[in-house]
Amino acid sequence: MLVALIILLSLGCLFLLVKLLALDVYVVTFVQEFRKQMRGESDGSGPELSAESAELGFLPPERQNTEYSAPLPAGLTGAQHALETGDWRPVADLLAATRSATATATGPDWEHRSMYVGHLGGLAAKDDGWLADWEAERPDDPDAAVVRARSTVDLAWDIRGAQRAKYTSGEQFAGFHRVLERSVAECARAAELAPDDPTPYIVEIWTGLGLGYPHARLDRLWKELVQRAPHHYEAHFSALQYWCAKWRGSEELARDFAARAAADAPLGSLLRILPLIVLFEHREEVEGYVTENTDEARALVDAALTDAAAADPDHPRLAEVRHLLAYYLCVQDRDEAAVELFRQVDGYVGALPWRYRNDGAEEFCRLRDLSVAAVLG
């Protein structure tokens, strides 16, 4: 009798174990399929998660700003408002302050300067009346000169358009090259008026990318730039685009450039994100979505997370880095860390990887909601 009871108990435990294993397999399979659906890797549309994200205060796609990666600095916003009335002086004051030896604890604020110049150059490419007034009153102002150079580069790229070469007309290309050629002299003049400023050289990288500067010429330009700002984030991002396979380099050249920059940069410079940008720029599509969940990629993410944590909270490019890190953390199923970064950048999607997609806001929210669901799950 005792033996029979023991046998029955053993069979019961075995049956329960089999059921538990089956349930575990079902749960894992469901979660894997759910993640595939959320990433667009299957035909399913996936569960609706907006309610969970809304509970955490996240915003829907229609409320995401697709132009910027983060709110504009208050000083730039105020100066831009003044431009709407034709008053360029607040802009002039803002840029002059970035060249001051006391702008930061270590000297001029080249990081904010290039960010301001990029934004203002984009405005002037669409309407340069205020810039023309500024130049007329202060013809040798180095700040006006560098904004003019940037606006010319932006105008050229606007003429070309964002389509691939096969969808770009000969007339567009002719206008693109003609305007870019003009920017070469403008960059040189801006550099002459402010010899210590790296910004004109950063602007000229985009001229060289469009005109097809040979590698030796870009190397000379880069040497001048890093003598003035050896660990400048926008400078490195811009040069990395030149070295990517889609422009004037190759995956190997881009990877080597990024690895050297990341290895030589001080902690907090944000340059440890560069190898991840290379990985993203040269990624392969798999079933409608990208997967970068290798040991190498995870190590690169860890290094970039440490770098970002050490950065100045006011660094003008920190949000851009957080966007790409949030993407990688989600792809790598590191959801708690991903949700925290999504929280820090929510409301703005004008950054890699979202700005490469026509549905950038939807893609941002889809991956964000995926990580939210995993955390709450």
Side-chain angles (χ1 to χ4, degrees):
M1 183 70 179
L2 180 60
V3 172
L5 181 60
I6 292 173
I7 292 174
L8 286 173
L9 287 173
S10 298
L11 289 173
C13 290
L14 179 61
F15 175 77
L16 179 60
L17 178 60
V18 169
K19 295 293 287 183
L20 288 173
L21 288 172
L23 177 62
D24 183 61
V25 170
Y26 170 77
V27 170
V28 170
T29 302
F30 173 79
V31 170
Q32 289 175 340
E33 179 59 27
F34 169 70
R35 296 189 80 97
K36 287 182 179 180
Q37 290 181 2
M38 287 296 292
R39 290 175 177 160
E41 294 176 3
S42 74
D43 293 334
S45 59
E48 176 57 57
L49 297 177
S50 59
E52 285 85 345
S53 291
E55 286 184 14
L56 296 180
F58 287 115
L59 300 176
E62 61 270 18
R63 293 184 61 189
Q64 301 291 333
N65 183 307
T66 59
E67 188 172 0
Y68 305 126
S69 63
L72 293 176
L76 181 58
T77 301
Q80 182 175 331
H81 287 328
L83 289 182
E84 296 171 2
T85 66
D87 185 3
W88 49 265
R89 288 171 179 78
V91 164
D93 292 342
L94 181 73
L95 287 180
T98 62
R99 288 188 288 114
S100 169
T102 59
T104 72
T106 57
D109 189 351
W110 300 132
E111 294 283 358
H112 274 93
R113 180 176 177 80
S114 67
M115 184 265 193
Y116 295 158
V117 167
H119 181 77
L120 295 167
L123 295 178
K126 295 174 175 58
D127 181 359
D128 68 346
W130 56 272
L131 180 55
D133 292 342
W134 183 3
E135 292 168 321
E137 186 164 329
R138 302 179 186 175
D140 293 324
D141 190 325
D143 303 318
V146 73
V147 173
R148 173 60 70 188
R150 180 67 198 224
S151 72
T152 301
V153 172
D154 283 1
L155 176 60
W157 285 95
D158 288 345
I159 291 171
R160 183 199 182 282
Q163 296 296 323
R164 293 183 179 179
K166 64 181 179 180
Y167 301 117
T168 305
S169 69
E171 183 179 352
Q172 285 175 292
F173 271 123
F176 173 58
H177 291 122
R178 183 173 60 253
V179 175
L180 271 187
E181 288 285 1
R182 195 171 76 217
S183 74
V184 176
E186 292 174 350
C187 288
R189 180 171 183 269
E192 183 180 356
L193 291 171
D196 295 333
D197 185 6
T199 315
Y201 300 94
I202 298 172
V203 174
E204 192 178 351
I205 289 175
W206 294 95
T207 298
L209 190 151
L211 292 178
Y213 279 11
H215 293 178
R217 183 171 179 181
L218 197 284
D219 286 339
R220 291 193 297 271
L221 178 67
W222 184 248
K223 183 178 179 180
E224 294 289 342
L225 200 164
V226 295
Q227 286 177 351
R228 293 160 173 81
H231 307 297
H232 194 289
Y233 178 82
E234 187 183 350
H236 283 80
F237 176 86
S238 301
L240 181 57
Q241 291 297 307
Y242 173 94
W243 291 114
C244 282
K246 65 181 181 180
W247 288 112
R248 307 300 174 184
S250 65
E251 182 174 359
E252 182 180 2
L253 289 171
R255 187 186 299 113
D256 289 347
F257 175 85
R260 289 195 306 271
D264 295 341
L267 198 62
S269 64
L270 301 181
L271 296 188
R272 295 184 188 182
I273 197 69
L274 296 179
L276 283 172
I277 295 176
V278 174
L279 188 62
F280 182 80
E281 291 284 6
H282 300 88
R283 69 200 185 284
E284 293 184 1
E285 297 282 346
V286 179
E287 295 182 4
Y289 205 79
V290 293
T291 53
E292 294 117 343
N293 196 9
T294 64
D295 289 342
E296 178 190 7
R298 294 175 75 88
L300 292 176
V301 169
D302 290 339
L305 284 169
T306 302
D307 195 18
D312 183 345
D314 293 328
H315 195 296
R317 307 295 175 175
L318 180 56
E320 296 178 24
V321 170
R322 286 172 170 167
H323 275 284
L324 191 57
L325 284 173
Y327 160 83
Y328 272 106
L329 288 168
C330 178
V331 168
Q332 294 175 357
D333 301 338
R334 301 162 72 176
D335 296 296
E336 289 188 5
V339 169
E340 178 55 31
L341 284 181
F342 278 123
R343 187 192 307 278
Q344 292 174 3
V345 298
D346 193 55
Y348 295 82
V349 297
L352 283 178
W354 329 114
R355 71 182 179 209
Y356 277 12
R357 299 179 62 103
N358 292 328
D359 62 342
E362 289 80 3
E363 182 73 354
F364 172 88
C365 291
R366 183 161 57 249
L367 294 193
R368 179 202 65 196
D369 293 351
L370 170 61
S371 286
V372 167
V375 170
L376 295 181

